[in-house]
Amino acid sequence: MAREVIAVVNSVIGEGAKFSGELELDGLVRIDGDFVGSIRRADKVLVGKSGRVKSSIKARVIIVAGSVVGDIYASEVLEILSTAFVIGNVRAPLMLVESGAVLHGLCEVIPTPSEENKNNNLETSIYTVDWHSNSSQDKG
């Protein structure tokens, strides 16, 4: 029997809304409006297609469909969807970047905390990225 996972959205910055400041929360924050500041701790951050963020982001899971200007650190998973525009350095143990996404910055694939504890000699993989995937160019 499949287990159903329900994500509870603790905070929403809705489309058309503007917010500046620092966020720290347990749970999920969804940003569909404009946010300037820093997200210092969250379980999950979702930047929707209409979301525009000028902020550093630190969270367990981060999904970007909109625009982020700032450094991103995901302790588990970072997903950059095809509609995303990211300018900044990104760090995560697992990164998924869809075709069509724009990503400009330093990418660092880091060990998960459990891997670090098992073997302190693990090296990270660092990539410099200035990448824009355009599906129409990929086909030609």
Side-chain angles (χ1 to χ4, degrees):
M1 184 172 182
R3 190 177 94 179
E4 185 177 328
V5 177
I6 300 172
V8 176
V9 178
N10 295 69
S11 301
V12 175
I13 299 172
E15 191 169 352
K18 294 180 182 183
F19 181 80
S20 62
E22 293 183 4
L23 290 177
E24 285 189 44
L25 67 138
D26 295 322
L28 185 144
V29 60
R30 180 181 176 106
I31 302 170
D32 290 314
D34 296 347
F35 175 75
V36 177
S38 67
I39 300 171
R40 296 177 20 185
R41 182 182 51 83
D43 184 47
K44 190 172 187 178
V45 175
L46 171 59
V47 179
K49 285 183 183 181
S50 62
R52 296 186 303 185
V53 174
K54 285 187 180 180
S55 168
S56 59
I57 302 173
K58 291 183 181 179
R60 188 179 58 80
V61 175
I62 301 168
I63 301 170
V64 180
S67 170
V68 174
V69 176
D71 295 339
I72 297 173
Y73 171 74
S75 62
E76 288 185 16
V77 178
L78 168 61
E79 291 186 50
I80 301 174
L81 304 182
S82 63
T83 56
F85 180 84
V86 177
I87 296 177
N89 301 323
V90 294
R91 298 179 74 209
L94 176 62
M95 284 185 219
L96 306 167
V97 182
E98 288 185 352
S99 178
V102 174
L103 173 58
H104 177 78
L106 179 71
C107 294
E108 187 175 0
V109 179
I110 59 174
T112 61
S114 61
E115 288 174 335
E116 285 178 338
N117 293 337
K118 289 179 189 174
N119 184 356
N120 289 332
N121 296 325
L122 286 175
E123 294 182 19
T124 61
S125 300
I126 300 174
Y127 306 93
T128 300
V129 177
D130 186 1
W131 177 59
H132 174 80
S133 175
N134 187 334
S135 58
S136 63
Q137 290 177 346
D138 293 342
K139 293 179 184 175

PDB file of all heavy atoms in Angstrom, residues 24-61:
ATOM      1  N   GLU A  24      12.691  32.082   9.371  1.00  0.00           N
ATOM      2  CA  GLU A  24      13.122  30.833   9.993  1.00  0.00           C
ATOM      3  C   GLU A  24      11.853  30.100  10.372  1.00  0.00           C
ATOM      4  O   GLU A  24      11.026  30.651  11.102  1.00  0.00           O
ATOM      5  CB  GLU A  24      13.958  31.084  11.250  1.00  0.00           C
ATOM      6  CG  GLU A  24      15.359  31.550  10.979  1.00  0.00           C
ATOM      7  CD  GLU A  24      16.209  31.561  12.247  1.00  0.00           C
ATOM      8  OE1 GLU A  24      16.134  30.585  13.029  1.00  0.00           O
ATOM      9  OE2 GLU A  24      16.931  32.537  12.443  1.00  0.00           O
ATOM     10  N   LEU A  25      11.686  28.877   9.868  1.00  0.00           N
ATOM     11  CA  LEU A  25      10.466  28.161  10.199  1.00  0.00           C
ATOM     12  C   LEU A  25      10.641  26.665  10.035  1.00  0.00           C
ATOM     13  O   LEU A  25      11.521  26.196   9.317  1.00  0.00           O
ATOM     14  CB  LEU A  25       9.301  28.641   9.322  1.00  0.00           C
ATOM     15  CG  LEU A  25       9.387  28.317   7.842  1.00  0.00           C
ATOM     16  CD1 LEU A  25       8.036  27.864   7.341  1.00  0.00           C
ATOM     17  CD2 LEU A  25       9.832  29.541   7.082  1.00  0.00           C
ATOM     18  N   ASP A  26       9.789  25.926  10.732  1.00  0.00           N
ATOM     19  CA  ASP A  26       9.654  24.495  10.528  1.00  0.00           C
ATOM     20  C   ASP A  26       8.485  24.334   9.583  1.00  0.00           C
ATOM     21  O   ASP A  26       7.438  24.943   9.768  1.00  0.00           O
ATOM     22  CB  ASP A  26       9.364  23.779  11.848  1.00  0.00           C
ATOM     23  CG  ASP A  26      10.523  23.896  12.828  1.00  0.00           C
ATOM     24  OD1 ASP A  26      11.680  23.828  12.367  1.00  0.00           O
ATOM     25  OD2 ASP A  26      10.270  24.080  14.026  1.00  0.00           O
ATOM     26  N   GLY A  27       8.649  23.544   8.562  1.00  0.00           N
ATOM     27  CA  GLY A  27       7.577  23.345   7.599  1.00  0.00           C
ATOM     28  C   GLY A  27       7.929  23.965   6.262  1.00  0.00           C
ATOM     29  O   GLY A  27       9.088  24.211   5.943  1.00  0.00           O
ATOM     30  N   LEU A  28       6.890  24.216   5.467  1.00  0.00           N
ATOM     31  CA  LEU A  28       7.055  24.652   4.091  1.00  0.00           C
ATOM     32  C   LEU A  28       6.684  26.110   3.919  1.00  0.00           C
ATOM     33  O   LEU A  28       5.681  26.566   4.474  1.00  0.00           O
ATOM     34  CB  LEU A  28       6.167  23.784   3.186  1.00  0.00           C
ATOM     35  CG  LEU A  28       6.285  24.005   1.688  1.00  0.00           C
ATOM     36  CD1 LEU A  28       6.125  22.682   0.968  1.00  0.00           C
ATOM     37  CD2 LEU A  28       5.220  24.966   1.192  1.00  0.00           C
ATOM     38  N   VAL A  29       7.483  26.830   3.133  1.00  0.00           N
ATOM     39  CA  VAL A  29       7.130  28.187   2.736  1.00  0.00           C
ATOM     40  C   VAL A  29       7.033  28.193   1.215  1.00  0.00           C
ATOM     41  O   VAL A  29       7.894  27.659   0.525  1.00  0.00           O
ATOM     42  CB  VAL A  29       8.133  29.250   3.243  1.00  0.00           C
ATOM     43  CG1 VAL A  29       9.527  29.017   2.727  1.00  0.00           C
ATOM     44  CG2 VAL A  29       7.662  30.650   2.872  1.00  0.00           C
ATOM     45  N   ARG A  30       5.943  28.759   0.709  1.00  0.00           N
ATOM     46  CA  ARG A  30       5.731  28.893  -0.737  1.00  0.00           C
ATOM     47  C   ARG A  30       5.795  30.375  -1.076  1.00  0.00           C
ATOM     48  O   ARG A  30       5.107  31.185  -0.451  1.00  0.00           O
ATOM     49  CB  ARG A  30       4.390  28.306  -1.151  1.00  0.00           C
ATOM     50  CG  ARG A  30       4.155  28.424  -2.642  1.00  0.00           C
ATOM     51  CD  ARG A  30       2.815  27.869  -3.072  1.00  0.00           C
ATOM     52  NE  ARG A  30       2.648  28.113  -4.487  1.00  0.00           N
ATOM     53  CZ  ARG A  30       2.744  27.188  -5.425  1.00  0.00           C
ATOM     54  NH1 ARG A  30       2.985  25.945  -5.083  1.00  0.00           N
ATOM     55  NH2 ARG A  30       2.588  27.507  -6.690  1.00  0.00           N
ATOM     56  N   ILE A  31       6.606  30.705  -2.088  1.00  0.00           N
ATOM     57  CA  ILE A  31       6.765  32.095  -2.490  1.00  0.00           C
ATOM     58  C   ILE A  31       6.296  32.247  -3.933  1.00  0.00           C
ATOM     59  O   ILE A  31       6.910  31.704  -4.858  1.00  0.00           O
ATOM     60  CB  ILE A  31       8.235  32.550  -2.355  1.00  0.00           C
ATOM     61  CG1 ILE A  31       8.714  32.364  -0.911  1.00  0.00           C
ATOM     62  CG2 ILE A  31       8.388  33.995  -2.816  1.00  0.00           C
ATOM     63  CD1 ILE A  31      10.190  32.554  -0.709  1.00  0.00           C
ATOM     64  N   ASP A  32       5.185  32.963  -4.106  1.00  0.00           N
ATOM     65  CA  ASP A  32       4.664  33.264  -5.431  1.00  0.00           C
ATOM     66  C   ASP A  32       4.746  34.754  -5.730  1.00  0.00           C
ATOM     67  O   ASP A  32       4.455  35.182  -6.843  1.00  0.00           O
ATOM     68  CB  ASP A  32       3.206  32.795  -5.558  1.00  0.00           C
ATOM     69  CG  ASP A  32       3.107  31.276  -5.572  1.00  0.00           C
ATOM     70  OD1 ASP A  32       3.882  30.634  -6.294  1.00  0.00           O
ATOM     71  OD2 ASP A  32       2.256  30.728  -4.840  1.00  0.00           O
ATOM     72  N   GLY A  33       5.134  35.546  -4.749  1.00  0.00           N
ATOM     73  CA  GLY A  33       5.290  36.997  -4.903  1.00  0.00           C
ATOM     74  C   GLY A  33       6.751  37.374  -4.859  1.00  0.00           C
ATOM     75  O   GLY A  33       7.620  36.604  -5.267  1.00  0.00           O
ATOM     76  N   ASP A  34       7.050  38.575  -4.342  1.00  0.00           N
ATOM     77  CA  ASP A  34       8.410  39.089  -4.248  1.00  0.00           C
ATOM     78  C   ASP A  34       8.914  38.976  -2.811  1.00  0.00           C
ATOM     79  O   ASP A  34       8.231  39.404  -1.879  1.00  0.00           O
ATOM     80  CB  ASP A  34       8.458  40.562  -4.667  1.00  0.00           C
ATOM     81  CG  ASP A  34       8.093  40.759  -6.133  1.00  0.00           C
ATOM     82  OD1 ASP A  34       8.053  39.766  -6.879  1.00  0.00           O
ATOM     83  OD2 ASP A  34       7.846  41.904  -6.527  1.00  0.00           O
ATOM     84  N   PHE A  35      10.113  38.424  -2.649  1.00  0.00           N
ATOM     85  CA  PHE A  35      10.726  38.298  -1.331  1.00  0.00           C
ATOM     86  C   PHE A  35      12.167  38.775  -1.403  1.00  0.00           C
ATOM     87  O   PHE A  35      12.928  38.347  -2.275  1.00  0.00           O
ATOM     88  CB  PHE A  35      10.687  36.860  -0.829  1.00  0.00           C
ATOM     89  CG  PHE A  35      11.416  36.676   0.473  1.00  0.00           C
ATOM     90  CD1 PHE A  35      10.860  37.121   1.660  1.00  0.00           C
ATOM     91  CD2 PHE A  35      12.672  36.089   0.521  1.00  0.00           C
ATOM     92  CE1 PHE A  35      11.538  36.987   2.875  1.00  0.00           C
ATOM     93  CE2 PHE A  35      13.353  35.942   1.715  1.00  0.00           C
ATOM     94  CZ  PHE A  35      12.781  36.397   2.889  1.00  0.00           C
ATOM     95  N   VAL A  36      12.552  39.661  -0.493  1.00  0.00           N
ATOM     96  CA  VAL A  36      13.926  40.144  -0.384  1.00  0.00           C
ATOM     97  C   VAL A  36      14.363  39.943   1.062  1.00  0.00           C
ATOM     98  O   VAL A  36      13.651  40.341   1.987  1.00  0.00           O
ATOM     99  CB  VAL A  36      14.031  41.648  -0.753  1.00  0.00           C
ATOM    100  CG1 VAL A  36      15.453  42.151  -0.553  1.00  0.00           C
ATOM    101  CG2 VAL A  36      13.573  41.893  -2.182  1.00  0.00           C
ATOM    102  N   GLY A  37      15.517  39.330   1.270  1.00  0.00           N
ATOM    103  CA  GLY A  37      16.006  39.115   2.628  1.00  0.00           C
ATOM    104  C   GLY A  37      16.811  37.843   2.716  1.00  0.00           C
ATOM    105  O   GLY A  37      17.685  37.600   1.887  1.00  0.00           O
ATOM    106  N   SER A  38      16.504  37.001   3.699  1.00  0.00           N
ATOM    107  CA  SER A  38      17.173  35.708   3.815  1.00  0.00           C
ATOM    108  C   SER A  38      16.221  34.686   4.412  1.00  0.00           C
ATOM    109  O   SER A  38      15.387  35.010   5.252  1.00  0.00           O
ATOM    110  CB  SER A  38      18.445  35.818   4.664  1.00  0.00           C
ATOM    111  OG  SER A  38      18.118  36.106   6.002  1.00  0.00           O
ATOM    112  N   ILE A  39      16.364  33.471   3.918  1.00  0.00           N
ATOM    113  CA  ILE A  39      15.650  32.331   4.491  1.00  0.00           C
ATOM    114  C   ILE A  39      16.731  31.503   5.166  1.00  0.00           C
ATOM    115  O   ILE A  39      17.518  30.822   4.506  1.00  0.00           O
ATOM    116  CB  ILE A  39      14.894  31.533   3.413  1.00  0.00           C
ATOM    117  CG1 ILE A  39      13.886  32.442   2.721  1.00  0.00           C
ATOM    118  CG2 ILE A  39      14.216  30.315   4.046  1.00  0.00           C
ATOM    119  CD1 ILE A  39      13.229  31.837   1.505  1.00  0.00           C
ATOM    120  N   ARG A  40      16.790  31.631   6.484  1.00  0.00           N
ATOM    121  CA  ARG A  40      17.894  31.043   7.241  1.00  0.00           C
ATOM    122  C   ARG A  40      17.665  29.586   7.601  1.00  0.00           C
ATOM    123  O   ARG A  40      18.623  28.846   7.812  1.00  0.00           O
ATOM    124  CB  ARG A  40      18.160  31.877   8.484  1.00  0.00           C
ATOM    125  CG  ARG A  40      18.616  33.264   8.084  1.00  0.00           C
ATOM    126  CD  ARG A  40      18.854  34.242   9.180  1.00  0.00           C
ATOM    127  NE  ARG A  40      19.069  33.701  10.499  1.00  0.00           N
ATOM    128  CZ  ARG A  40      19.194  34.443  11.581  1.00  0.00           C
ATOM    129  NH1 ARG A  40      19.117  35.746  11.488  1.00  0.00           N
ATOM    130  NH2 ARG A  40      19.376  33.907  12.754  1.00  0.00           N
ATOM    131  N   ARG A  41      16.404  29.176   7.679  1.00  0.00           N
ATOM    132  CA  ARG A  41      16.101  27.783   8.010  1.00  0.00           C
ATOM    133  C   ARG A  41      14.668  27.492   7.645  1.00  0.00           C
ATOM    134  O   ARG A  41      13.764  28.242   7.999  1.00  0.00           O
ATOM    135  CB  ARG A  41      16.314  27.519   9.496  1.00  0.00           C
ATOM    136  CG  ARG A  41      16.055  26.078   9.908  1.00  0.00           C
ATOM    137  CD  ARG A  41      16.236  25.875  11.397  1.00  0.00           C
ATOM    138  NE  ARG A  41      15.503  26.818  12.216  1.00  0.00           N
ATOM    139  CZ  ARG A  41      14.211  26.692  12.556  1.00  0.00           C
ATOM    140  NH1 ARG A  41      13.510  25.692  12.109  1.00  0.00           N
ATOM    141  NH2 ARG A  41      13.640  27.597  13.337  1.00  0.00           N
ATOM    142  N   ALA A  42      14.468  26.388   6.934  1.00  0.00           N
ATOM    143  CA  ALA A  42      13.123  25.910   6.623  1.00  0.00           C
ATOM    144  C   ALA A  42      13.218  24.438   6.274  1.00  0.00           C
ATOM    145  O   ALA A  42      14.277  23.946   5.877  1.00  0.00           O
ATOM    146  CB  ALA A  42      12.507  26.690   5.465  1.00  0.00           C
ATOM    147  N   ASP A  43      12.110  23.734   6.425  1.00  0.00           N
ATOM    148  CA  ASP A  43      12.075  22.334   6.021  1.00  0.00           C
ATOM    149  C   ASP A  43      12.044  22.257   4.495  1.00  0.00           C
ATOM    150  O   ASP A  43      12.819  21.538   3.884  1.00  0.00           O
ATOM    151  CB  ASP A  43      10.854  21.636   6.626  1.00  0.00           C
ATOM    152  CG  ASP A  43      10.834  20.156   6.319  1.00  0.00           C
ATOM    153  OD1 ASP A  43      11.883  19.505   6.498  1.00  0.00           O
ATOM    154  OD2 ASP A  43       9.778  19.659   5.894  1.00  0.00           O
ATOM    155  N   LYS A  44      11.154  23.042   3.882  1.00  0.00           N
ATOM    156  CA  LYS A  44      11.005  23.018   2.434  1.00  0.00           C
ATOM    157  C   LYS A  44      10.667  24.416   1.946  1.00  0.00           C
ATOM    158  O   LYS A  44       9.840  25.101   2.531  1.00  0.00           O
ATOM    159  CB  LYS A  44       9.897  22.035   2.042  1.00  0.00           C
ATOM    160  CG  LYS A  44       9.803  21.754   0.572  1.00  0.00           C
ATOM    161  CD  LYS A  44       8.809  20.609   0.319  1.00  0.00           C
ATOM    162  CE  LYS A  44       8.825  20.181  -1.121  1.00  0.00           C
ATOM    163  NZ  LYS A  44       7.908  19.058  -1.365  1.00  0.00           N
ATOM    164  N   VAL A  45      11.322  24.838   0.860  1.00  0.00           N
ATOM    165  CA  VAL A  45      11.049  26.131   0.234  1.00  0.00           C
ATOM    166  C   VAL A  45      10.635  25.869  -1.206  1.00  0.00           C
ATOM    167  O   VAL A  45      11.332  25.168  -1.938  1.00  0.00           O
ATOM    168  CB  VAL A  45      12.285  27.054   0.265  1.00  0.00           C
ATOM    169  CG1 VAL A  45      12.016  28.339  -0.505  1.00  0.00           C
ATOM    170  CG2 VAL A  45      12.684  27.362   1.705  1.00  0.00           C
ATOM    171  N   LEU A  46       9.502  26.435  -1.600  1.00  0.00           N
ATOM    172  CA  LEU A  46       9.012  26.330  -2.969  1.00  0.00           C
ATOM    173  C   LEU A  46       8.880  27.732  -3.536  1.00  0.00           C
ATOM    174  O   LEU A  46       8.115  28.545  -3.007  1.00  0.00           O
ATOM    175  CB  LEU A  46       7.662  25.619  -3.011  1.00  0.00           C
ATOM    176  CG  LEU A  46       6.934  25.617  -4.356  1.00  0.00           C
ATOM    177  CD1 LEU A  46       7.774  24.952  -5.430  1.00  0.00           C
ATOM    178  CD2 LEU A  46       5.592  24.909  -4.225  1.00  0.00           C
ATOM    179  N   VAL A  47       9.651  28.037  -4.575  1.00  0.00           N
ATOM    180  CA  VAL A  47       9.532  29.308  -5.282  1.00  0.00           C
ATOM    181  C   VAL A  47       8.719  29.015  -6.533  1.00  0.00           C
ATOM    182  O   VAL A  47       9.187  28.331  -7.449  1.00  0.00           O
ATOM    183  CB  VAL A  47      10.914  29.899  -5.653  1.00  0.00           C
ATOM    184  CG1 VAL A  47      10.745  31.215  -6.403  1.00  0.00           C
ATOM    185  CG2 VAL A  47      11.763  30.091  -4.401  1.00  0.00           C
ATOM    186  N   GLY A  48       7.464  29.488  -6.548  1.00  0.00           N
ATOM    187  CA  GLY A  48       6.566  29.233  -7.664  1.00  0.00           C
ATOM    188  C   GLY A  48       6.979  29.975  -8.922  1.00  0.00           C
ATOM    189  O   GLY A  48       7.871  30.824  -8.905  1.00  0.00           O
ATOM    190  N   LYS A  49       6.299  29.688 -10.046  1.00  0.00           N
ATOM    191  CA  LYS A  49       6.627  30.298 -11.335  1.00  0.00           C
ATOM    192  C   LYS A  49       6.627  31.823 -11.281  1.00  0.00           C
ATOM    193  O   LYS A  49       7.441  32.467 -11.927  1.00  0.00           O
ATOM    194  CB  LYS A  49       5.638  29.848 -12.409  1.00  0.00           C
ATOM    195  CG  LYS A  49       5.853  28.455 -12.889  1.00  0.00           C
ATOM    196  CD  LYS A  49       4.863  28.130 -14.002  1.00  0.00           C
ATOM    197  CE  LYS A  49       5.001  26.701 -14.453  1.00  0.00           C
ATOM    198  NZ  LYS A  49       4.069  26.379 -15.548  1.00  0.00           N
ATOM    199  N   SER A  50       5.725  32.406 -10.518  1.00  0.00           N
ATOM    200  CA  SER A  50       5.657  33.864 -10.440  1.00  0.00           C
ATOM    201  C   SER A  50       6.502  34.425  -9.294  1.00  0.00           C
ATOM    202  O   SER A  50       6.570  35.634  -9.112  1.00  0.00           O
ATOM    203  CB  SER A  50       4.203  34.315 -10.270  1.00  0.00           C
ATOM    204  OG  SER A  50       3.674  33.798  -9.058  1.00  0.00           O
ATOM    205  N   GLY A  51       7.171  33.568  -8.541  1.00  0.00           N
ATOM    206  CA  GLY A  51       7.981  34.000  -7.413  1.00  0.00           C
ATOM    207  C   GLY A  51       9.283  34.651  -7.851  1.00  0.00           C
ATOM    208  O   GLY A  51       9.947  34.178  -8.772  1.00  0.00           O
ATOM    209  N   ARG A  52       9.634  35.747  -7.170  1.00  0.00           N
ATOM    210  CA  ARG A  52      10.891  36.454  -7.423  1.00  0.00           C
ATOM    211  C   ARG A  52      11.577  36.659  -6.077  1.00  0.00           C
ATOM    212  O   ARG A  52      11.044  37.342  -5.200  1.00  0.00           O
ATOM    213  CB  ARG A  52      10.644  37.781  -8.119  1.00  0.00           C
ATOM    214  CG  ARG A  52      10.027  37.608  -9.499  1.00  0.00           C
ATOM    215  CD  ARG A  52       9.908  38.898 -10.253  1.00  0.00           C
ATOM    216  NE  ARG A  52       9.124  39.876  -9.483  1.00  0.00           N
ATOM    217  CZ  ARG A  52       8.781  41.063  -9.952  1.00  0.00           C
ATOM    218  NH1 ARG A  52       9.150  41.433 -11.154  1.00  0.00           N
ATOM    219  NH2 ARG A  52       8.066  41.892  -9.219  1.00  0.00           N
ATOM    220  N   VAL A  53      12.754  36.075  -5.937  1.00  0.00           N
ATOM    221  CA  VAL A  53      13.452  36.056  -4.649  1.00  0.00           C
ATOM    222  C   VAL A  53      14.845  36.651  -4.811  1.00  0.00           C
ATOM    223  O   VAL A  53      15.587  36.247  -5.706  1.00  0.00           O
ATOM    224  CB  VAL A  53      13.546  34.608  -4.115  1.00  0.00           C
ATOM    225  CG1 VAL A  53      14.382  34.549  -2.856  1.00  0.00           C
ATOM    226  CG2 VAL A  53      12.162  34.022  -3.887  1.00  0.00           C
ATOM    227  N   LYS A  54      15.183  37.617  -3.943  1.00  0.00           N
ATOM    228  CA  LYS A  54      16.554  38.107  -3.805  1.00  0.00           C
ATOM    229  C   LYS A  54      16.952  37.760  -2.384  1.00  0.00           C
ATOM    230  O   LYS A  54      16.650  38.499  -1.445  1.00  0.00           O
ATOM    231  CB  LYS A  54      16.632  39.617  -4.035  1.00  0.00           C
ATOM    232  CG  LYS A  54      16.515  40.028  -5.473  1.00  0.00           C
ATOM    233  CD  LYS A  54      16.769  41.511  -5.634  1.00  0.00           C
ATOM    234  CE  LYS A  54      16.660  41.920  -7.082  1.00  0.00           C
ATOM    235  NZ  LYS A  54      16.893  43.352  -7.269  1.00  0.00           N
ATOM    236  N   SER A  55      17.577  36.592  -2.231  1.00  0.00           N
ATOM    237  CA  SER A  55      17.805  36.075  -0.890  1.00  0.00           C
ATOM    238  C   SER A  55      18.744  34.888  -0.938  1.00  0.00           C
ATOM    239  O   SER A  55      18.786  34.163  -1.927  1.00  0.00           O
ATOM    240  CB  SER A  55      16.463  35.621  -0.304  1.00  0.00           C
ATOM    241  OG  SER A  55      16.646  34.874   0.873  1.00  0.00           O
ATOM    242  N   SER A  56      19.463  34.681   0.144  1.00  0.00           N
ATOM    243  CA  SER A  56      20.106  33.391   0.348  1.00  0.00           C
ATOM    244  C   SER A  56      19.030  32.460   0.912  1.00  0.00           C
ATOM    245  O   SER A  56      18.140  32.902   1.633  1.00  0.00           O
ATOM    246  CB  SER A  56      21.281  33.513   1.311  1.00  0.00           C
ATOM    247  OG  SER A  56      20.843  34.012   2.551  1.00  0.00           O
ATOM    248  N   ILE A  57      19.105  31.197   0.538  1.00  0.00           N
ATOM    249  CA  ILE A  57      18.101  30.224   0.986  1.00  0.00           C
ATOM    250  C   ILE A  57      18.825  29.020   1.571  1.00  0.00           C
ATOM    251  O   ILE A  57      19.684  28.430   0.912  1.00  0.00           O
ATOM    252  CB  ILE A  57      17.192  29.762  -0.177  1.00  0.00           C
ATOM    253  CG1 ILE A  57      16.472  30.938  -0.825  1.00  0.00           C
ATOM    254  CG2 ILE A  57      16.191  28.722   0.319  1.00  0.00           C
ATOM    255  CD1 ILE A  57      15.695  30.567  -2.078  1.00  0.00           C
ATOM    256  N   LYS A  58      18.458  28.658   2.805  1.00  0.00           N
ATOM    257  CA  LYS A  58      18.957  27.436   3.447  1.00  0.00           C
ATOM    258  C   LYS A  58      17.754  26.624   3.879  1.00  0.00           C
ATOM    259  O   LYS A  58      16.942  27.095   4.674  1.00  0.00           O
ATOM    260  CB  LYS A  58      19.828  27.766   4.651  1.00  0.00           C
ATOM    261  CG  LYS A  58      21.148  28.397   4.299  1.00  0.00           C
ATOM    262  CD  LYS A  58      21.987  28.629   5.539  1.00  0.00           C
ATOM    263  CE  LYS A  58      23.306  29.279   5.162  1.00  0.00           C
ATOM    264  NZ  LYS A  58      24.135  29.539   6.343  1.00  0.00           N
ATOM    265  N   ALA A  59      17.634  25.401   3.354  1.00  0.00           N
ATOM    266  CA  ALA A  59      16.510  24.540   3.707  1.00  0.00           C
ATOM    267  C   ALA A  59      16.878  23.097   3.405  1.00  0.00           C
ATOM    268  O   ALA A  59      17.865  22.814   2.720  1.00  0.00           O
ATOM    269  CB  ALA A  59      15.261  24.950   2.926  1.00  0.00           C
ATOM    270  N   ARG A  60      16.056  22.197   3.914  1.00  0.00           N
ATOM    271  CA  ARG A  60      16.266  20.772   3.659  1.00  0.00           C
ATOM    272  C   ARG A  60      15.997  20.456   2.193  1.00  0.00           C
ATOM    273  O   ARG A  60      16.802  19.825   1.518  1.00  0.00           O
ATOM    274  CB  ARG A  60      15.359  19.941   4.574  1.00  0.00           C
ATOM    275  CG  ARG A  60      15.619  18.450   4.525  1.00  0.00           C
ATOM    276  CD  ARG A  60      14.698  17.696   5.473  1.00  0.00           C
ATOM    277  NE  ARG A  60      13.294  17.908   5.194  1.00  0.00           N
ATOM    278  CZ  ARG A  60      12.603  17.278   4.231  1.00  0.00           C
ATOM    279  NH1 ARG A  60      13.195  16.393   3.459  1.00  0.00           N
ATOM    280  NH2 ARG A  60      11.326  17.522   4.050  1.00  0.00           N
ATOM    281  N   VAL A  61      14.861  20.904   1.676  1.00  0.00           N
ATOM    282  CA  VAL A  61      14.461  20.676   0.283  1.00  0.00           C
ATOM    283  C   VAL A  61      14.091  22.024  -0.324  1.00  0.00           C
ATOM    284  O   VAL A  61      13.350  22.791   0.286  1.00  0.00           O
ATOM    285  CB  VAL A  61      13.253  19.714   0.194  1.00  0.00           C
ATOM    286  CG1 VAL A  61      12.776  19.577  -1.235  1.00  0.00           C
ATOM    287  CG2 VAL A  61      13.601  18.357   0.793  1.00  0.00           C
TER     288      VAL A  61
END
